[in-house]
Amino acid sequence: EAGKTRLRPVLMTALAMIIGMVPMALGLGEGGEQNAPLGRAVIGGLIFATFVTLFIVPIVYSLLRKKLPAKHIMEERFEAEEQGKIFDEHAEELLEQHHSQKPHSDTLGGLGEDRGEGNSPQGAST
């Protein structure tokens, strides 16, 4: 989710810096041949860092993430309440089990119980 949001700003920033370093990397102007290796190193570092930021970091994060962020649990709770269901105390555990079985699936519909039919979980007050 954050990758989609940050893709454009990361690419725009990196591209602006890379384009700005091209004249230095080409060694144009008087004494330019001294600074050309620095310009090339900066461009190479920016390309590498951008690649790592956009691809490697999200992959490592998804591999190391063991527990769902609280944001997902709260979204499930609000969604259940909007649909007129009760988000019971065991729903969080079900969501965690679902996430451990399918780590890249961040939603689990139908965790709440219908209200009004006497289907609320024991111990839950409406």
Side-chain angles (χ1 to χ4, degrees):
E1 202 174 305
K4 295 176 196 173
T5 306
R6 298 296 304 158
L7 178 66
R8 184 173 175 229
V10 167
L11 287 177
M12 287 176 61
T13 305
L15 196 59
M17 185 65 188
I18 290 168
I19 291 170
M21 294 299 293
V22 167
M24 186 178 185
L26 294 176
L28 302 176
E30 202 170 311
E33 62 275 351
Q34 270 187 321
N35 292 329
L38 175 65
R40 292 185 203 116
V42 169
I43 289 174
L46 282 167
I47 291 171
F48 178 76
T50 303
F51 175 80
V52 168
T53 299
L54 294 176
F55 299 106
I56 305 300
V57 170
I59 290 170
V60 170
Y61 175 79
S62 69
L63 292 174
L64 295 177
R65 183 176 83 175
K66 303 246 186 281
K67 188 175 179 183
L68 279 175
K71 174 186 169 191
H72 293 293
I73 294 169
M74 292 304 295
E75 285 176 355
E76 289 291 330
R77 180 182 305 262
F78 293 145
E79 186 178 312
E81 289 175 0
E82 282 179 1
Q83 295 173 358
K85 298 179 179 180
I86 297 172
F87 190 84
D88 67 356
E89 61 273 359
H90 301 292
E92 188 172 334
E93 296 169 15
L94 291 172
L95 192 58
E96 289 295 333
Q97 286 176 347
H98 176 74
H99 177 70
S100 65
Q101 293 167 357
K102 297 181 182 179
H104 299 292
S105 174
D106 290 335
T107 59
L108 176 63
L111 285 177
E113 298 289 331
D114 289 329
R115 289 187 190 206
E117 297 285 322
N119 293 341
S120 61
Q122 283 186 330
S125 60
T126 54

